[in-house]
């Protein structure tokens, strides 16, 4: 991932233009949709009328808006590689389209114009990309809900597993009956049994590739691949965190035996903070502390509190 910087030595016609931040995401499979394994660059774009220009250390991007801003076209030059992009306006500030280069490679892309709302990015991961020194705490991110960019305050963990994690759920042991929905989850110290609103969760989930569960002290954590959990046969990763089981996979869906993996067991009201990994087809990609002590790879852990993040 690389960050583009505004070209300072501009021609005079650009000297009065106002910079605007954009996020460019692209993949390497041309199938009409942005795949989960995309790369992202955060750029500062300088526009004059329909034309714009931006530059990084080794590439220059020039382009234009077409048909009253309903289409966007631009070319990126990186050494001998020239990449051409063409996309259409999908919603306010969001363009989607395809790219190809002179090496006969191609893929899909998404370009998002950030609004002037003071948002730090579209997720804590993007905040970390833009500012590697960003600290854990409250940050403002801009999410697209129902095609409309919306600024939301979120809590970011910038320390565990390279940071960039957005908090979406906090759970207390025995807390199922008092689990509370909230539009903004910004203080895991006081909001110990809250889950983020369904619209915010779905916006964050759609752009994330990993989910992390950590104990209340952040000493022990486990990381799962979201794509893996989306194939769970009993409960795929939920669209609403109000659900007691966040994910669950096993052949019989009974929570018995030694062939299941889940986050919270709905058949056991005592443990609202349980992570069990018996089904090794659904083992985590990374774990630490009490989440990783079992030499067999299987484990069960139910701390007093957990926090759930996405990245």
């Amino acid at each position: 991932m690389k960050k583009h910087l505004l070209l300072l030595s501009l021609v005079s016609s650009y000297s009065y233009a106002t910079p605007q931040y954009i996020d460019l995401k692209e993949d390497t499979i041309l199938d009409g949709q942005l795949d989960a394994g995309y790369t992202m660059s955060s750029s500062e774009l300088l526009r004059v009328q329909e034309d714009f220009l931006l530059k990084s250390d080794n590439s220059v991007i020039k382009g234009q808006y077409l048909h009253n801003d309903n289409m966007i076209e631009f070319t990126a030059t990186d050494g001998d590689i020239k990449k051409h992009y063409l996309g259409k306006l999908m919603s306010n500030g969001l363009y989607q389209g395809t790219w190809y280069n002179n090496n006969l490679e191609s893929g899909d892309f998404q370009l998002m114009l950030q609004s002037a709302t003071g948002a730090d990015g579209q997720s804590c991961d993007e905040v970390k990309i833009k500012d590697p020194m960003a600290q854990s705490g409250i940050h403002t991110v801009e999410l697209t809900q129902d095609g409309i960019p919306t600024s939301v305050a979120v809590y970011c963990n910038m320390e565990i597993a390279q940071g960039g994690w957005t908090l979406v759920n906090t759970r207390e042991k025995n807390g199922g009956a008092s689990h509370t929905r909230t539009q903004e989850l910004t203080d895991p110290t006081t909001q110990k049994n809250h889950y983020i609103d369904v619209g915010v969760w779905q916006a964050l989930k759609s752009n994330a590739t990993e989910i992390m569960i950590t104990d209340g002290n952040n000493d022990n954590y486990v990381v799962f691949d979201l794509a893996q959990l989306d194939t769970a046969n009993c409960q795929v990763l939920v669209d609403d965190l109000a659900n007691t089981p966040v994910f669950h996979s096993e052949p019989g869906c009974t929570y018995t035996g030694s062939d299941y993996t889940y986050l919270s067991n709905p058949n056991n009201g005592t443990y609202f903070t349980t992570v069990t990994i018996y089904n090794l087809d659904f083992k985590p990609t990374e774990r630490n502390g009490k989440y990783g002590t079992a030499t067999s790879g299987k484990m069960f852990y139910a701390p007093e509190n957990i926090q759930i993040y996405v990245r």
Side-chain angles (χ1 to χ4, degrees):
M1 289 178 280
K2 52 190 177 183
K3 183 174 181 179
H4 293 284
L5 301 175
L6 181 65
L7 180 60
L8 299 179
S9 55
L10 298 168
V11 296
S12 59
S13 62
Y14 283 90
S15 61
Y16 56 86
T18 301
Q20 183 177 28
Y21 286 98
I22 67 168
D23 294 306
L24 176 62
K25 302 174 182 177
E26 57 186 274
D27 63 24
T28 57
I29 301 175
L30 184 59
D31 58 4
Q33 61 183 5
L34 190 69
D35 298 309
Y38 61 77
T39 60
M40 181 179 70
S41 61
S42 180
S43 313
E44 193 176 8
L45 173 148
L46 197 65
R47 174 178 179 174
V48 173
Q49 297 178 346
E50 284 75 33
D51 299 324
F52 60 81
L53 178 71
L54 53 89
K55 183 181 180 181
S56 69
D57 291 337
N58 57 0
S59 66
V60 176
I61 294 180
K62 298 180 180 179
Q64 58 184 331
Y65 294 94
L66 305 170
H67 307 299
N68 296 320
D69 288 4
N70 285 306
M71 297 190 69
I72 191 170
E73 183 177 25
F74 54 98
T75 300
T77 303
D78 190 347
D80 295 330
I81 303 298
K82 292 186 177 181
K83 187 184 293 186
H84 185 77
Y85 300 76
L86 180 64
K88 63 179 180 179
L89 182 66
M90 306 301 295
S91 62
N92 185 23
L94 175 66
Y95 292 84
Q96 291 181 354
T98 61
W99 63 266
Y100 62 89
N101 65 21
N102 54 349
N103 272 355
L104 302 180
E105 299 167 323
S106 58
D108 305 292
F109 79 91
Q110 181 183 95
L111 185 146
M112 181 69 185
L113 304 175
Q114 295 184 14
S115 68
T117 57
D120 299 326
Q122 294 184 1
S123 67
C124 292
D125 190 31
E126 187 171 324
V127 173
K128 187 73 171 180
I129 292 170
K130 290 182 176 181
D131 180 9
M133 302 304 293
Q135 300 296 306
S136 296
I138 301 173
H139 293 268
T140 301
V141 298
E142 187 172 273
L143 306 176
T144 301
Q145 300 183 57
D146 298 324
I148 301 174
T150 305
S151 293
V152 178
V154 296
Y155 180 85
C156 299
N157 187 309
M158 300 301 192
E159 301 165 13
I160 299 179
Q162 294 79 53
W165 298 98
T166 306
L167 181 65
V168 295
N169 196 183
T170 58
R171 294 184 172 207
E172 288 185 302
K173 203 168 187 177
N174 306 319
S178 57
H179 204 208
T180 304
R181 188 187 299 270
T182 180
Q183 178 68 24
E184 294 185 342
L185 182 52
T186 57
D187 189 350
T189 302
T190 59
Q191 293 175 291
K192 285 188 175 181
N193 201 26
H194 292 72
Y195 60 99
I196 205 73
D197 184 74
V198 61
V200 178
W201 162 238
Q202 290 181 358
L204 289 168
K205 177 187 173 187
S206 66
N207 287 317
T209 58
E210 297 173 296
I211 188 169
M212 176 176 72
I213 303 99
T214 177
D215 66 4
N217 298 319
N218 293 335
D219 294 329
N220 310 286
Y221 69 87
V222 62
V223 177
F224 286 91
D225 186 334
L226 256 66
Q228 181 187 48
L229 302 182
D230 279 336
T231 66
N233 66 321
C234 304
Q235 172 63 70
V236 297
L237 185 64
V238 295
D239 288 331
D240 189 342
L241 290 166
N243 293 44
T244 300
V246 178
F247 57 81
H248 171 209
S249 179
E250 63 167 302
C253 300
T254 60
Y255 296 100
T256 60
S258 59
D259 55 0
Y260 58 94
T261 293
Y262 64 75
L263 171 56
S264 294
N265 183 347
N267 296 336
N268 190 332
T270 303
Y271 298 121
F272 194 49
T273 61
T274 304
V275 182
T276 293
I277 300 172
Y278 290 161
N279 180 352
L280 296 187
D281 290 335
F282 281 79
K283 60 181 180 293
T285 57
E286 182 178 352
R287 52 180 154 171
N288 181 68
K290 291 183 179 178
Y291 282 118
T293 55
T295 56
S296 67
K298 304 176 181 180
M299 66 91 183
F300 168 90
Y301 186 40
E304 293 297 317
N305 300 283
I306 63 170
Q307 298 167 8
I308 304 174
Y309 295 83
V310 291
R311 179 175 70 184

